[in-house]
């Protein structure tokens, strides 16, 4: 008798989630299918809050398109940008692991598509698949390494700090293009928040880097022709 139990066509949004996020690569099909079964995909405009500080972490989010700013505020209420993440990255995993309220906000910088899965499904995957746990540990190690580098550069000159901010963005989400590595040409206020410099200082530093031929800017894209050359000016 012919087997009537045929596999249902995969939801296109779930297919894109699996193909876009490196975290799922190499995991058993059954485990990935189970954890993404309740995935919800939404498109957001720029400047839309995805996660709010102090909210409970009921979901883990995966960025399929766009850029998202992770921010908090200091005691004086000044905004601090902790990270900018993009396509293929995970957001909201810390609150899911610790079962505590979220410690940061997540806000879209560009039109962004995000897929979310229930936090309990994410944690269950980590418990059953060792490779998933390794992937998450690697992600956290990468973010800690980036943070340590930025802290070391706090005493450097402004040009070095702006250059390192661009390298930080390129390392996380840079794409190869005809003119070199491409990253979004973010507003200077965002680069100011990441580097800890005044916006006017960021503007002057970008102009110097452009004059030296180390970067090139269009309306939406910032190009880095040679990452090594840009890194060599950091003191």
């Amino acid at each position: 008798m012919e087997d009537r139990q045929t596999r249902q066509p995969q939801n296109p949004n779930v297919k894109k989630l699996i193909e876009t996020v490196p975290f799922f690569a190499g995991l058993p099909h059954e485990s990935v299918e189970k954890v993404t079964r309740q995935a919800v995909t939404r498109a957001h405009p720029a400047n839309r809050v995805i996660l709010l500080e102090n909210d409970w972490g009921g979901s883990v989010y995966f960025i399929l398109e766009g850029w998202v700013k992770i921010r908090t505020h200091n005691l004086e209420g000044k905004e601090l940008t902790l990270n900018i993440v993009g396509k293929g990255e995970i957001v909201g995993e810390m609150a899911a692991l610790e079962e505590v309220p979220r410690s940061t906000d997540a806000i879209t910088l560009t039109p962004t598509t995000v897929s979310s899965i229930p936090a309990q499904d994410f944690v269950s995957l980590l418990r059953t698949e060792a490779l998933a746990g390794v992937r998450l540990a690697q992600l956290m190690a990468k973010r800690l390494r980036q943070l340590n580098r930025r802290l070391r550069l706090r005493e450097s000159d402004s040009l070095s700090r702006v250059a390192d901010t661009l390298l930080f963005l390129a390392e996380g989400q840079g794409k190869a293009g005809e003119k070199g590595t491409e990253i979004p040409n973010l507003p200077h206020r965002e680069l100011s928040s990441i580097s800890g410099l005044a916006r006017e200082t960021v503007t002057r530093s970008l102009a110097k880097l452009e004059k030296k031929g180390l970067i090139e800017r269009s309306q939406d894209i910032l190009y880095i022709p040679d990452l090594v050359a840009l890194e060599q000016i950091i003191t």
Side-chain angles (χ1 to χ4, degrees):
M1 180 181 295
E2 182 181 352
D3 186 0
R4 296 177 181 275
Q5 292 185 340
T6 57
R7 185 181 297 277
Q8 294 296 316
Q10 192 176 51
N11 184 310
N13 287 331
V14 172
K15 184 174 185 292
K16 184 174 183 180
L17 166 61
I18 296 170
E19 292 176 347
T20 301
V21 180
F23 176 82
F24 294 115
L27 295 177
H29 175 81
E30 294 76 13
S31 297
V32 174
E33 191 175 61
K34 182 178 180 180
V35 77
T36 59
R37 192 172 296 155
Q38 298 186 63
V40 176
T41 300
R42 291 189 174 92
H44 301 284
N47 300 313
R48 174 67 56 86
V49 176
I50 298 175
L51 307 178
L52 271 175
E53 188 172 355
N54 296 320
D55 279 357
W56 283 91
S59 297
V60 176
Y61 297 82
F62 301 86
I63 303 172
L64 307 188
E65 296 289 346
W67 288 72
V68 174
K69 172 174 66 176
I70 310 300
R71 75 170 186 190
T72 188
H73 295 83
N74 63 17
L75 295 177
E76 288 74 40
K78 181 181 178 181
E79 178 180 309
L80 300 174
T81 298
L82 302 178
N83 203 351
I84 290 179
V85 295
K87 185 176 180 178
E89 290 275 7
I90 305 174
V91 178
E93 77 287 349
M94 297 296 291
L97 287 172
E98 297 181 301
E99 297 183 345
V100 296
R102 301 193 188 279
S103 58
T104 58
D105 299 326
I107 302 171
T108 60
L109 288 174
T110 62
T112 302
T113 302
V114 177
S115 191
S116 64
I117 63 173
Q120 62 267 26
D121 291 348
F122 180 75
V123 173
S124 177
L125 178 67
L126 296 176
R127 288 173 175 163
T128 56
E129 295 295 340
L131 181 57
V134 171
R135 291 267 168 75
L136 186 61
Q138 290 172 333
L139 172 64
M140 292 181 174
K142 172 186 171 183
R143 291 177 178 174
L144 181 59
R145 184 176 66 252
Q146 291 173 331
L147 178 60
N148 287 340
R149 177 176 172 174
R150 289 169 60 195
L151 290 175
R152 287 198 303 271
L153 284 165
R154 285 289 175 172
E155 301 304 318
S156 298
D157 62 89
S158 57
L159 196 65
S160 294
R161 289 165 68 176
V162 172
D164 183 68
T165 298
L166 300 180
L167 289 168
F168 162 71
L169 295 173
E171 179 184 348
Q173 295 297 326
K175 297 189 301 182
E178 293 182 359
K179 297 182 179 181
T181 303
E182 300 178 358
I183 60 175
N185 190 15
L186 297 175
H188 293 185
R189 66 176 180 275
E190 303 297 349
L191 297 177
S192 168
S193 186
I194 299 171
S195 62
L197 296 166
R199 183 161 52 180
E200 295 77 9
T201 303
V202 169
T203 299
R204 288 195 299 270
S205 296
L206 288 172
K208 289 179 182 178
L209 292 173
E210 193 164 25
K211 187 175 181 180
K212 291 175 180 287
L214 294 171
I215 64 171
E216 183 178 334
R217 291 179 285 177
S218 67
Q219 182 175 352
D220 300 316
I221 303 294
L222 187 148
Y223 305 93
I224 306 174
D226 188 338
L227 291 172
V228 175
L230 183 61
E231 189 167 14
Q232 286 177 344
I233 74 162
I234 297 177
T235 59

PDB file of all heavy atoms in Angstrom, residues 149 159-160 162-164 166-167 179-181 208-210 212-215 223-235:
ATOM      1  N   ARG A 149      38.093  44.516  22.913  1.00  0.00           N
ATOM      2  CA  ARG A 149      38.869  45.346  21.993  1.00  0.00           C
ATOM      3  C   ARG A 149      38.429  46.792  22.060  1.00  0.00           C
ATOM      4  O   ARG A 149      39.262  47.711  22.094  1.00  0.00           O
ATOM      5  CB  ARG A 149      38.713  44.805  20.577  1.00  0.00           C
ATOM      6  CG  ARG A 149      39.414  45.635  19.514  1.00  0.00           C
ATOM      7  CD  ARG A 149      39.293  44.982  18.164  1.00  0.00           C
ATOM      8  NE  ARG A 149      39.791  45.846  17.109  1.00  0.00           N
ATOM      9  CZ  ARG A 149      39.914  45.471  15.842  1.00  0.00           C
ATOM     10  NH1 ARG A 149      39.574  44.254  15.493  1.00  0.00           N
ATOM     11  NH2 ARG A 149      40.362  46.312  14.938  1.00  0.00           N
ATOM     12  N   LEU A 159      40.698  59.167  15.790  1.00  0.00           N
ATOM     13  CA  LEU A 159      40.745  58.520  14.475  1.00  0.00           C
ATOM     14  C   LEU A 159      40.828  57.002  14.619  1.00  0.00           C
ATOM     15  O   LEU A 159      40.156  56.265  13.893  1.00  0.00           O
ATOM     16  CB  LEU A 159      41.942  59.036  13.678  1.00  0.00           C
ATOM     17  CG  LEU A 159      41.914  58.744  12.172  1.00  0.00           C
ATOM     18  CD1 LEU A 159      40.770  59.475  11.500  1.00  0.00           C
ATOM     19  CD2 LEU A 159      43.248  59.125  11.528  1.00  0.00           C
ATOM     20  N   SER A 160      41.622  56.542  15.585  1.00  0.00           N
ATOM     21  CA  SER A 160      41.738  55.103  15.832  1.00  0.00           C
ATOM     22  C   SER A 160      40.412  54.518  16.297  1.00  0.00           C
ATOM     23  O   SER A 160      40.020  53.419  15.883  1.00  0.00           O
ATOM     24  CB  SER A 160      42.815  54.834  16.888  1.00  0.00           C
ATOM     25  OG  SER A 160      44.096  55.193  16.423  1.00  0.00           O
ATOM     26  N   VAL A 162      37.331  55.634  15.713  1.00  0.00           N
ATOM     27  CA  VAL A 162      36.354  55.576  14.619  1.00  0.00           C
ATOM     28  C   VAL A 162      36.719  54.455  13.654  1.00  0.00           C
ATOM     29  O   VAL A 162      35.845  53.706  13.201  1.00  0.00           O
ATOM     30  CB  VAL A 162      36.274  56.932  13.887  1.00  0.00           C
ATOM     31  CG1 VAL A 162      35.417  56.810  12.633  1.00  0.00           C
ATOM     32  CG2 VAL A 162      35.694  57.995  14.812  1.00  0.00           C
ATOM     33  N   ALA A 163      38.014  54.316  13.345  1.00  0.00           N
ATOM     34  CA  ALA A 163      38.452  53.234  12.468  1.00  0.00           C
ATOM     35  C   ALA A 163      38.095  51.877  13.062  1.00  0.00           C
ATOM     36  O   ALA A 163      37.619  50.980  12.360  1.00  0.00           O
ATOM     37  CB  ALA A 163      39.957  53.333  12.222  1.00  0.00           C
ATOM     38  N   ASP A 164      38.308  51.721  14.353  1.00  0.00           N
ATOM     39  CA  ASP A 164      37.990  50.452  14.989  1.00  0.00           C
ATOM     40  C   ASP A 164      36.486  50.192  14.992  1.00  0.00           C
ATOM     41  O   ASP A 164      36.055  49.045  14.865  1.00  0.00           O
ATOM     42  CB  ASP A 164      38.508  50.422  16.429  1.00  0.00           C
ATOM     43  CG  ASP A 164      38.265  49.083  17.097  1.00  0.00           C
ATOM     44  OD1 ASP A 164      38.902  48.097  16.676  1.00  0.00           O
ATOM     45  OD2 ASP A 164      37.411  49.013  17.994  1.00  0.00           O
ATOM     46  N   LEU A 166      34.416  51.050  12.652  1.00  0.00           N
ATOM     47  CA  LEU A 166      34.096  50.568  11.305  1.00  0.00           C
ATOM     48  C   LEU A 166      34.560  49.122  11.123  1.00  0.00           C
ATOM     49  O   LEU A 166      33.852  48.304  10.515  1.00  0.00           O
ATOM     50  CB  LEU A 166      34.751  51.470  10.261  1.00  0.00           C
ATOM     51  CG  LEU A 166      34.341  52.948  10.288  1.00  0.00           C
ATOM     52  CD1 LEU A 166      35.073  53.723   9.200  1.00  0.00           C
ATOM     53  CD2 LEU A 166      32.834  53.108  10.142  1.00  0.00           C
ATOM     54  N   LEU A 167      35.734  48.792  11.669  1.00  0.00           N
ATOM     55  CA  LEU A 167      36.223  47.413  11.581  1.00  0.00           C
ATOM     56  C   LEU A 167      35.336  46.469  12.378  1.00  0.00           C
ATOM     57  O   LEU A 167      35.091  45.326  11.974  1.00  0.00           O
ATOM     58  CB  LEU A 167      37.663  47.339  12.099  1.00  0.00           C
ATOM     59  CG  LEU A 167      38.721  47.981  11.196  1.00  0.00           C
ATOM     60  CD1 LEU A 167      40.037  48.111  11.940  1.00  0.00           C
ATOM     61  CD2 LEU A 167      38.909  47.151   9.933  1.00  0.00           C
ATOM     62  N   LYS A 179      33.867  47.423  -4.508  1.00  0.00           N
ATOM     63  CA  LYS A 179      34.744  48.461  -3.970  1.00  0.00           C
ATOM     64  C   LYS A 179      35.381  48.069  -2.642  1.00  0.00           C
ATOM     65  O   LYS A 179      35.987  48.906  -1.979  1.00  0.00           O
ATOM     66  CB  LYS A 179      33.958  49.763  -3.787  1.00  0.00           C
ATOM     67  CG  LYS A 179      33.432  50.352  -5.080  1.00  0.00           C
ATOM     68  CD  LYS A 179      32.708  51.667  -4.817  1.00  0.00           C
ATOM     69  CE  LYS A 179      32.191  52.296  -6.099  1.00  0.00           C
ATOM     70  NZ  LYS A 179      31.504  53.581  -5.845  1.00  0.00           N
ATOM     71  N   GLY A 180      35.235  46.812  -2.249  1.00  0.00           N
ATOM     72  CA  GLY A 180      35.785  46.365  -0.977  1.00  0.00           C
ATOM     73  C   GLY A 180      34.688  45.865  -0.059  1.00  0.00           C
ATOM     74  O   GLY A 180      33.618  45.453  -0.512  1.00  0.00           O
ATOM     75  N   THR A 181      34.934  45.923   1.241  1.00  0.00           N
ATOM     76  CA  THR A 181      33.953  45.484   2.221  1.00  0.00           C
ATOM     77  C   THR A 181      32.887  46.550   2.395  1.00  0.00           C
ATOM     78  O   THR A 181      33.201  47.728   2.576  1.00  0.00           O
ATOM     79  CB  THR A 181      34.634  45.196   3.572  1.00  0.00           C
ATOM     80  OG1 THR A 181      35.661  44.221   3.382  1.00  0.00           O
ATOM     81  CG2 THR A 181      33.625  44.674   4.580  1.00  0.00           C
ATOM     82  N   LYS A 208      38.550  62.527   7.470  1.00  0.00           N
ATOM     83  CA  LYS A 208      39.989  62.251   7.369  1.00  0.00           C
ATOM     84  C   LYS A 208      40.228  60.875   6.763  1.00  0.00           C
ATOM     85  O   LYS A 208      41.113  60.712   5.916  1.00  0.00           O
ATOM     86  CB  LYS A 208      40.625  62.331   8.764  1.00  0.00           C
ATOM     87  CG  LYS A 208      40.720  63.730   9.334  1.00  0.00           C
ATOM     88  CD  LYS A 208      41.345  63.698  10.721  1.00  0.00           C
ATOM     89  CE  LYS A 208      41.399  65.098  11.331  1.00  0.00           C
ATOM     90  NZ  LYS A 208      41.970  65.061  12.718  1.00  0.00           N
ATOM     91  N   LEU A 209      39.457  59.889   7.189  1.00  0.00           N
ATOM     92  CA  LEU A 209      39.616  58.538   6.648  1.00  0.00           C
ATOM     93  C   LEU A 209      39.293  58.499   5.156  1.00  0.00           C
ATOM     94  O   LEU A 209      39.957  57.808   4.381  1.00  0.00           O
ATOM     95  CB  LEU A 209      38.719  57.553   7.411  1.00  0.00           C
ATOM     96  CG  LEU A 209      39.090  57.292   8.870  1.00  0.00           C
ATOM     97  CD1 LEU A 209      38.011  56.433   9.543  1.00  0.00           C
ATOM     98  CD2 LEU A 209      40.446  56.607   8.970  1.00  0.00           C
ATOM     99  N   GLU A 210      38.285  59.273   4.782  1.00  0.00           N
ATOM    100  CA  GLU A 210      37.898  59.321   3.368  1.00  0.00           C
ATOM    101  C   GLU A 210      38.992  60.016   2.550  1.00  0.00           C
ATOM    102  O   GLU A 210      39.321  59.580   1.433  1.00  0.00           O
ATOM    103  CB  GLU A 210      36.563  60.046   3.221  1.00  0.00           C
ATOM    104  CG  GLU A 210      35.927  59.878   1.854  1.00  0.00           C
ATOM    105  CD  GLU A 210      34.465  60.262   1.850  1.00  0.00           C
ATOM    106  OE1 GLU A 210      34.046  61.086   2.714  1.00  0.00           O
ATOM    107  OE2 GLU A 210      33.727  59.752   0.995  1.00  0.00           O
ATOM    108  N   LYS A 212      42.136  60.033   3.164  1.00  0.00           N
ATOM    109  CA  LYS A 212      43.266  59.106   3.070  1.00  0.00           C
ATOM    110  C   LYS A 212      42.981  57.935   2.131  1.00  0.00           C
ATOM    111  O   LYS A 212      43.860  57.116   1.854  1.00  0.00           O
ATOM    112  CB  LYS A 212      43.604  58.546   4.464  1.00  0.00           C
ATOM    113  CG  LYS A 212      44.196  59.557   5.435  1.00  0.00           C
ATOM    114  CD  LYS A 212      44.361  58.927   6.798  1.00  0.00           C
ATOM    115  CE  LYS A 212      44.952  59.896   7.813  1.00  0.00           C
ATOM    116  NZ  LYS A 212      46.385  60.151   7.571  1.00  0.00           N
ATOM    117  N   GLY A 213      41.736  57.835   1.644  1.00  0.00           N
ATOM    118  CA  GLY A 213      41.375  56.736   0.756  1.00  0.00           C
ATOM    119  C   GLY A 213      41.089  55.439   1.472  1.00  0.00           C
ATOM    120  O   GLY A 213      41.022  54.373   0.841  1.00  0.00           O
ATOM    121  N   LEU A 214      40.893  55.509   2.777  1.00  0.00           N
ATOM    122  CA  LEU A 214      40.660  54.298   3.562  1.00  0.00           C
ATOM    123  C   LEU A 214      39.186  53.902   3.598  1.00  0.00           C
ATOM    124  O   LEU A 214      38.855  52.766   3.924  1.00  0.00           O
ATOM    125  CB  LEU A 214      41.184  54.493   4.992  1.00  0.00           C
ATOM    126  CG  LEU A 214      42.704  54.654   5.078  1.00  0.00           C
ATOM    127  CD1 LEU A 214      43.115  55.070   6.481  1.00  0.00           C
ATOM    128  CD2 LEU A 214      43.398  53.353   4.686  1.00  0.00           C
ATOM    129  N   ILE A 215      38.305  54.851   3.301  1.00  0.00           N
ATOM    130  CA  ILE A 215      36.881  54.555   3.184  1.00  0.00           C
ATOM    131  C   ILE A 215      36.313  55.347   2.012  1.00  0.00           C
ATOM    132  O   ILE A 215      36.917  56.318   1.555  1.00  0.00           O
ATOM    133  CB  ILE A 215      36.084  54.900   4.469  1.00  0.00           C
ATOM    134  CG1 ILE A 215      36.122  56.400   4.752  1.00  0.00           C
ATOM    135  CG2 ILE A 215      36.575  54.101   5.667  1.00  0.00           C
ATOM    136  CD1 ILE A 215      35.188  56.850   5.866  1.00  0.00           C
ATOM    137  N   TYR A 223      32.093  51.972   2.142  1.00  0.00           N
ATOM    138  CA  TYR A 223      33.002  50.974   1.573  1.00  0.00           C
ATOM    139  C   TYR A 223      34.374  51.074   2.249  1.00  0.00           C
ATOM    140  O   TYR A 223      34.893  52.168   2.466  1.00  0.00           O
ATOM    141  CB  TYR A 223      33.177  51.196   0.065  1.00  0.00           C
ATOM    142  CG  TYR A 223      31.889  51.235  -0.708  1.00  0.00           C
ATOM    143  CD1 TYR A 223      31.246  52.450  -0.948  1.00  0.00           C
ATOM    144  CD2 TYR A 223      31.302  50.069  -1.198  1.00  0.00           C
ATOM    145  CE1 TYR A 223      30.059  52.504  -1.658  1.00  0.00           C
ATOM    146  CE2 TYR A 223      30.111  50.116  -1.904  1.00  0.00           C
ATOM    147  CZ  TYR A 223      29.499  51.331  -2.131  1.00  0.00           C
ATOM    148  OH  TYR A 223      28.318  51.384  -2.831  1.00  0.00           O
ATOM    149  N   ILE A 224      34.940  49.921   2.559  1.00  0.00           N
ATOM    150  CA  ILE A 224      36.299  49.849   3.091  1.00  0.00           C
ATOM    151  C   ILE A 224      37.131  49.084   2.065  1.00  0.00           C
ATOM    152  O   ILE A 224      37.046  47.848   1.983  1.00  0.00           O
ATOM    153  CB  ILE A 224      36.343  49.137   4.457  1.00  0.00           C
ATOM    154  CG1 ILE A 224      35.368  49.804   5.440  1.00  0.00           C
ATOM    155  CG2 ILE A 224      37.765  49.143   5.019  1.00  0.00           C
ATOM    156  CD1 ILE A 224      35.245  49.079   6.766  1.00  0.00           C
ATOM    157  N   PRO A 225      37.938  49.785   1.229  1.00  0.00           N
ATOM    158  CA  PRO A 225      38.682  49.103   0.172  1.00  0.00           C
ATOM    159  C   PRO A 225      39.674  48.067   0.691  1.00  0.00           C
ATOM    160  O   PRO A 225      39.879  47.024   0.069  1.00  0.00           O
ATOM    161  CB  PRO A 225      39.408  50.253  -0.539  1.00  0.00           C
ATOM    162  CG  PRO A 225      38.615  51.479  -0.199  1.00  0.00           C
ATOM    163  CD  PRO A 225      38.085  51.231   1.181  1.00  0.00           C
ATOM    164  N   ASP A 226      40.319  48.366   1.840  1.00  0.00           N
ATOM    165  CA  ASP A 226      41.369  47.480   2.361  1.00  0.00           C
ATOM    166  C   ASP A 226      41.260  47.442   3.885  1.00  0.00           C
ATOM    167  O   ASP A 226      41.637  48.397   4.568  1.00  0.00           O
ATOM    168  CB  ASP A 226      42.739  48.001   1.927  1.00  0.00           C
ATOM    169  CG  ASP A 226      43.869  47.048   2.264  1.00  0.00           C
ATOM    170  OD1 ASP A 226      43.698  46.206   3.170  1.00  0.00           O
ATOM    171  OD2 ASP A 226      44.930  47.147   1.625  1.00  0.00           O
ATOM    172  N   LEU A 227      40.754  46.341   4.415  1.00  0.00           N
ATOM    173  CA  LEU A 227      40.582  46.222   5.868  1.00  0.00           C
ATOM    174  C   LEU A 227      41.917  46.291   6.598  1.00  0.00           C
ATOM    175  O   LEU A 227      42.022  46.892   7.677  1.00  0.00           O
ATOM    176  CB  LEU A 227      39.879  44.903   6.198  1.00  0.00           C
ATOM    177  CG  LEU A 227      38.406  44.785   5.781  1.00  0.00           C
ATOM    178  CD1 LEU A 227      37.914  43.360   6.000  1.00  0.00           C
ATOM    179  CD2 LEU A 227      37.535  45.759   6.567  1.00  0.00           C
ATOM    180  N   VAL A 228      42.943  45.685   6.033  1.00  0.00           N
ATOM    181  CA  VAL A 228      44.266  45.679   6.672  1.00  0.00           C
ATOM    182  C   VAL A 228      44.821  47.092   6.765  1.00  0.00           C
ATOM    183  O   VAL A 228      45.371  47.503   7.794  1.00  0.00           O
ATOM    184  CB  VAL A 228      45.233  44.761   5.904  1.00  0.00           C
ATOM    185  CG1 VAL A 228      46.641  44.864   6.494  1.00  0.00           C
ATOM    186  CG2 VAL A 228      44.752  43.322   5.945  1.00  0.00           C
ATOM    187  N   ALA A 229      44.677  47.860   5.696  1.00  0.00           N
ATOM    188  CA  ALA A 229      45.167  49.241   5.694  1.00  0.00           C
ATOM    189  C   ALA A 229      44.448  50.075   6.741  1.00  0.00           C
ATOM    190  O   ALA A 229      45.061  50.903   7.429  1.00  0.00           O
ATOM    191  CB  ALA A 229      44.992  49.856   4.305  1.00  0.00           C
ATOM    192  N   LEU A 230      43.145  49.858   6.881  1.00  0.00           N
ATOM    193  CA  LEU A 230      42.382  50.598   7.896  1.00  0.00           C
ATOM    194  C   LEU A 230      42.835  50.206   9.294  1.00  0.00           C
ATOM    195  O   LEU A 230      42.985  51.051  10.183  1.00  0.00           O
ATOM    196  CB  LEU A 230      40.872  50.330   7.726  1.00  0.00           C
ATOM    197  CG  LEU A 230      39.954  51.093   8.668  1.00  0.00           C
ATOM    198  CD1 LEU A 230      40.093  52.600   8.485  1.00  0.00           C
ATOM    199  CD2 LEU A 230      38.500  50.686   8.452  1.00  0.00           C
ATOM    200  N   GLU A 231      43.097  48.927   9.497  1.00  0.00           N
ATOM    201  CA  GLU A 231      43.517  48.460  10.815  1.00  0.00           C
ATOM    202  C   GLU A 231      44.903  48.996  11.181  1.00  0.00           C
ATOM    203  O   GLU A 231      45.188  49.223  12.361  1.00  0.00           O
ATOM    204  CB  GLU A 231      43.519  46.930  10.842  1.00  0.00           C
ATOM    205  CG  GLU A 231      43.722  46.341  12.221  1.00  0.00           C
ATOM    206  CD  GLU A 231      43.414  44.858  12.271  1.00  0.00           C
ATOM    207  OE1 GLU A 231      43.292  44.242  11.187  1.00  0.00           O
ATOM    208  OE2 GLU A 231      43.298  44.321  13.394  1.00  0.00           O
ATOM    209  N   GLN A 232      45.743  49.229  10.192  1.00  0.00           N
ATOM    210  CA  GLN A 232      47.114  49.675  10.461  1.00  0.00           C
ATOM    211  C   GLN A 232      47.197  51.088  11.019  1.00  0.00           C
ATOM    212  O   GLN A 232      48.221  51.460  11.581  1.00  0.00           O
ATOM    213  CB  GLN A 232      47.944  49.570   9.182  1.00  0.00           C
ATOM    214  CG  GLN A 232      48.297  48.130   8.819  1.00  0.00           C
ATOM    215  CD  GLN A 232      49.046  48.027   7.507  1.00  0.00           C
ATOM    216  OE1 GLN A 232      49.061  48.974   6.711  1.00  0.00           O
ATOM    217  NE2 GLN A 232      49.670  46.884   7.262  1.00  0.00           N
ATOM    218  N   ILE A 233      46.137  51.879  10.861  1.00  0.00           N
ATOM    219  CA  ILE A 233      46.207  53.256  11.392  1.00  0.00           C
ATOM    220  C   ILE A 233      45.811  53.307  12.867  1.00  0.00           C
ATOM    221  O   ILE A 233      45.952  54.342  13.513  1.00  0.00           O
ATOM    222  CB  ILE A 233      45.313  54.217  10.598  1.00  0.00           C
ATOM    223  CG1 ILE A 233      43.826  53.999  10.927  1.00  0.00           C
ATOM    224  CG2 ILE A 233      45.549  54.115   9.112  1.00  0.00           C
ATOM    225  CD1 ILE A 233      42.967  55.168  10.532  1.00  0.00           C
ATOM    226  N   ILE A 234      45.319  52.192  13.405  1.00  0.00           N
ATOM    227  CA  ILE A 234      44.906  52.176  14.809  1.00  0.00           C
ATOM    228  C   ILE A 234      46.148  52.151  15.688  1.00  0.00           C
ATOM    229  O   ILE A 234      47.031  51.314  15.527  1.00  0.00           O
ATOM    230  CB  ILE A 234      44.030  50.941  15.113  1.00  0.00           C
ATOM    231  CG1 ILE A 234      42.725  51.027  14.284  1.00  0.00           C
ATOM    232  CG2 ILE A 234      43.717  50.839  16.596  1.00  0.00           C
ATOM    233  CD1 ILE A 234      41.837  49.829  14.445  1.00  0.00           C
ATOM    234  N   THR A 235      46.196  53.102  16.642  1.00  0.00           N
ATOM    235  CA  THR A 235      47.357  53.201  17.530  1.00  0.00           C
ATOM    236  C   THR A 235      46.981  52.866  18.954  1.00  0.00           C
ATOM    237  O   THR A 235      45.830  52.874  19.327  1.00  0.00           O
ATOM    238  CB  THR A 235      47.937  54.624  17.479  1.00  0.00           C
ATOM    239  OG1 THR A 235      46.913  55.571  17.886  1.00  0.00           O
ATOM    240  CG2 THR A 235      48.421  54.957  16.098  1.00  0.00           C
TER     241      THR A 235
END
